[in-house]
Amino acid sequence: MKKDKIIYWVLTILLSLSLALAGIMYITAPVMATGFSHLGFPAYFRVELGVAKIIGAVVLLLPVIPGRVKEWAYIGTAIVFISAFIAHTSVDGVRTTTSAIIFIGIWAASFIYFNKVSR
C-alpha cells in the first residue's frame, strides 16, 4: 500500500505541476495567445482554460478535498487533454500531439492509483 501511495503522489504532483504551469502560461504568456488563435479559439477561452487548469491542479493536490470532487477534476482534466489532442491533430497533424499523449498517460496512471489508494 505504501508503494501505491508513493506512485500516486509522484504521478499526481507531475500532473498537477503540468496543469498549474500550463494554466499560468495560458494567462500570462503572449505566445499562448498566438497559439490559441492559431487553433481557432477565442481569446477568452485561453484565460478560462488557464484558470480551470490551475483550479484542477489545486483540487488534485489538496488532501482535504473529497474524493468525489477529485474524480470530477480528473474527468475535467481528461476532457482537456483529449480536446487538446483533437485540436492539435485537426490543425497541425499528429506530429504536434506528443505532449498531450504523454500527459494522457500520466493522467491515466494517476487516476488508477487514486482509485487504488482511496479504497
Side-chain angles (χ1 to χ4, degrees), residues 22-68:
I24 291 167
M25 293 227 4
Y26 285 6
I27 295 168
T28 61
V31 70
M32 289 297 182
T34 305
F36 268 75
S37 66
H38 170 72
L39 293 173
F41 293 117
Y44 69 84
F45 182 66
R46 173 181 53 88
V47 176
E48 180 181 320
L49 188 58
V51 170
K53 282 187 169 200
I54 293 168
I55 291 169
V58 170
V59 167
L60 291 177
L61 282 178
L62 289 179
V64 297
I65 303 290
R68 185 67 76 188

